[in-house]
Amino acid sequence: MNSNLGRVAIVTDQMTAFGGADREMLSLLKLIPTSDIYTVLFNPEGYKNIDIKQKIFTSFVQKLPFKYRFSKHLKILNPIIYEEFDLGKYDTIITLSAGPARGIIPDINQTHIAMVMTPPRSLWDHELNVRGSKLRNIYRPISNILNNYLRLWDTSLVPRVDYWIANSTFIANKIKKRYGVKSKVIYPGISNEYFEKFKKEEIDNILLRYQIPQDFVLIVSRLYDYKRIDWAIKSCIKTKDNLVIVGEGPDYKYLKKLSKGYENIYFLGFLDNDRDVRMLYNQAKVLLFCGVEDFGLVPVEAMAQGTPILAFREGGVTETVLENVCGQFFLDNDELTKLLKKFDKKGYNEDKIVDRAREFSEKVFLENLNQYLKQIHD
């Protein structure tokens, strides 16, 4: 731990369902275990098997009725929510965010380090994730109007940040484009557990428990429309590959309807046992990654089990997956279908895939981050 940081507050987006940003936060807490956590909203149900010992402070949204159901529709309140956090007792504030957490107001003697997952997609990439909502025809025009205001607020936050960290070169370029500032690229990492080796009996038990076949391709993702899980479903319907989908989200009903009548599509929902997910990585013949992600921890997690990747050719995944060594890239749904039809896992060297994943271990991430934090305070 870098003792020069003094008292540290970590400010995140709402914590309602465990995901990639939370994994990065858990890694950060290993480096700075005495930190306090501030978030808009915390849902303990989404973190039942996650051991977080630090204090978690929430906003007034925590007291609202129906907060978990409507929290994503309260973005008009973001300036009020984040600016009301009283962080005066801390020396260093680290905002870990894919949203508006940078909106906190630091004192002139505080250091604000922004670890940016991505500039807010709903503001800059037209990703509203309302395809599965009955209110989508109402929400879209209202959101378009609000986004004009929120983009102005988002860009006004630049002077509040002292140091910028991007989780990929892809995001560093976005930060430069949206905010006109340079950032330090520090790749996130996966913990040692993802490299665990499994016995055949354990794998067989998992397949039996979830009632899935031995031969399958895998999706591990929150179910949002920008993840393009519908591409994977459409391709697997054509190729007749078994598709196992791990995750939940607002696009579930749409995806379930899309796959209706096809017995080769399996929805497992959210699995709160990480070890089960790791065994599915191990058994899958390939992981499909169809969306544009800032970094993309899931492909690295699958690679740690020696599983190759078929991914959309954009985003952080192009910096982690070595083409023809760890997998292949596609640009549209038709290309994905063609790659699946001719895919053969035996054409990949499992050891080389695992070696590549080790370059993005949690140990490497924490070493790089700690070194950068020391540079800031030296």
Side-chain angles (χ1 to χ4, degrees), residues 94-107:
I94 300 176
T95 51
L96 179 61
S97 173
R102 292 185 305 283
I104 55 97
I105 301 178
D107 292 339

Side-chain angles (χ1 to χ4, degrees), residues 9 25 29 32 38 64 93 98 113 143 177 195 238 250 252 351:
M25 182 185 68
L29 289 172
I32 318 171
Y38 286 77
L64 297 179
I93 303 168
I113 303 167
S143 184
K177 182 71 173 179
F195 296 93
K238 291 178 180 178
Y252 171 76
D351 291 336

Side-chain angles (χ1 to χ4, degrees), residues 127 131 217-222 224-236 243 245 287-293 298-299 309-315 317 328-337 340:
E127 292 176 358
R131 179 168 60 186
V217 300
L218 181 64
I219 288 271
V220 177
S221 173
R222 290 178 177 174
Y224 291 121
D225 52 15
Y226 82 90
K227 303 279 190 178
R228 297 187 185 131
I229 296 164
D230 54 327
W231 285 21
I233 292 174
K234 291 173 184 176
S235 289
C236 287
L243 174 62
I245 301 172
L287 178 94
L288 304 185
F289 198 73
C290 303
V292 179
E293 291 286 358
V298 165
I309 314 297
L310 293 182
F312 186 71
R313 192 188 291 275
E314 189 177 350
V317 71
Q328 300 287 333
F329 295 106
F330 55 87
L331 286 172
D332 56 39
N333 210 159
D334 289 338
E335 284 190 12
L336 170 58
T337 303
L340 265 180

Side-chain angles (χ1 to χ4, degrees), residues 190-204 206 274-283 300-307 345 349-358:
I190 59 173
S191 58
N192 287 334
E193 289 85 356
Y194 284 92
F195 296 93
E196 179 183 1
K197 299 299 181 183
F198 300 103
K199 297 178 181 178
K200 183 180 183 302
E201 298 78 30
E202 293 180 292
I203 301 292
D204 290 341
I206 285 293
D274 263 2
R275 198 165 187 269
D276 287 359
V277 178
R278 295 198 296 271
M279 282 189 269
L280 292 176
Y281 283 143
N282 178 283
Q283 180 64 20
V300 179
E301 292 171 357
M303 287 159 54
Q305 288 294 322
T307 298
K345 189 174 183 178
N349 185 308
E350 182 177 319
D351 291 336
K352 288 184 178 180
I353 295 175
V354 174
D355 287 343
R356 177 59 174 172
R358 291 192 188 281

Side-chain angles (χ1 to χ4, degrees), residues 21 37 56 70 75 102 121 126 186 230 270 272 283 326:
I37 300 170
I56 299 177
F70 296 110
K75 63 182 181 180
R102 292 185 305 283
R121 293 189 186 95
H126 305 290
I186 300 178
D230 54 327
F270 173 74
D272 56 9
Q283 180 64 20
C326 304

Side-chain angles (χ1 to χ4, degrees), residues 163-377:
Y163 300 95
W164 297 78
I165 297 175
N167 59 7
S168 65
T169 301
F170 174 68
I171 291 303
N173 291 336
K174 273 194 170 186
I175 292 171
K176 179 65 176 176
K177 182 71 173 179
R178 302 306 182 197
Y179 308 128
V181 296
K182 293 183 179 180
S183 53
K184 172 71 174 178
V185 175
I186 300 178
Y187 293 114
I190 59 173
S191 58
N192 287 334
E193 289 85 356
Y194 284 92
F195 296 93
E196 179 183 1
K197 299 299 181 183
F198 300 103
K199 297 178 181 178
K200 183 180 183 302
E201 298 78 30
E202 293 180 292
I203 301 292
D204 290 341
N205 287 337
I206 285 293
L207 300 180
L208 182 62
R209 186 192 311 168
Y210 293 113
Q211 295 292 294
I212 54 178
Q214 286 194 345
D215 184 67
F216 63 89
V217 300
L218 181 64
I219 288 271
V220 177
S221 173
R222 290 178 177 174
L223 307 185
Y224 291 121
D225 52 15
Y226 82 90
K227 303 279 190 178
R228 297 187 185 131
I229 296 164
D230 54 327
W231 285 21
I233 292 174
K234 291 173 184 176
S235 289
C236 287
I237 287 173
K238 291 178 180 178
T239 64
K240 295 182 171 55
D241 281 288
N242 295 310
L243 174 62
V244 173
I245 301 172
V246 176
E248 59 187 20
D251 218 26
Y252 171 76
K253 289 183 179 179
Y254 170 81
L255 297 172
K256 192 71 174 174
K257 183 178 180 180
L258 182 65
S259 59
K260 185 177 181 180
Y262 295 96
E263 296 182 356
N264 61 321
I265 312 297
Y266 300 81
F267 289 86
L268 301 191
F270 173 74
L271 302 186
D272 56 9
N273 188 324
D274 263 2
R275 198 165 187 269
D276 287 359
V277 178
R278 295 198 296 271
M279 282 189 269
L280 292 176
Y281 283 143
N282 178 283
Q283 180 64 20
K285 73 175 186 179
V286 65
L287 178 94
L288 304 185
F289 198 73
C290 303
V292 179
E293 291 286 358
D294 39 33
F295 173 74
L297 277 173
V298 165
V300 179
E301 292 171 357
M303 287 159 54
Q305 288 294 322
T307 298
I309 314 297
L310 293 182
F312 186 71
R313 192 188 291 275
E314 189 177 350
V317 71
T318 62
E319 301 170 44
T320 58
V321 174
L322 298 178
E323 193 165 20
N324 299 320
V325 176
C326 304
Q328 300 287 333
F329 295 106
F330 55 87
L331 286 172
D332 56 39
N333 210 159
D334 289 338
E335 284 190 12
L336 170 58
T337 303
K338 291 176 183 177
L339 287 173
L340 265 180
K341 283 182 178 178
K342 63 181 182 181
F343 183 82
D344 183 5
K345 189 174 183 178
K346 294 178 181 178
Y348 293 88
N349 185 308
E350 182 177 319
D351 291 336
K352 288 184 178 180
I353 295 175
V354 174
D355 287 343
R356 177 59 174 172
R358 291 192 188 281
E359 296 180 33
F360 302 95
S361 69
E362 183 180 63
K363 180 176 181 291
V364 173
F365 165 61
L366 293 180
E367 287 175 351
N368 291 338
L369 179 59
N370 193 43
Q371 182 180 11
Y372 181 65
L373 294 177
K374 286 181 177 179
Q375 290 175 3
I376 288 175
H377 287 279

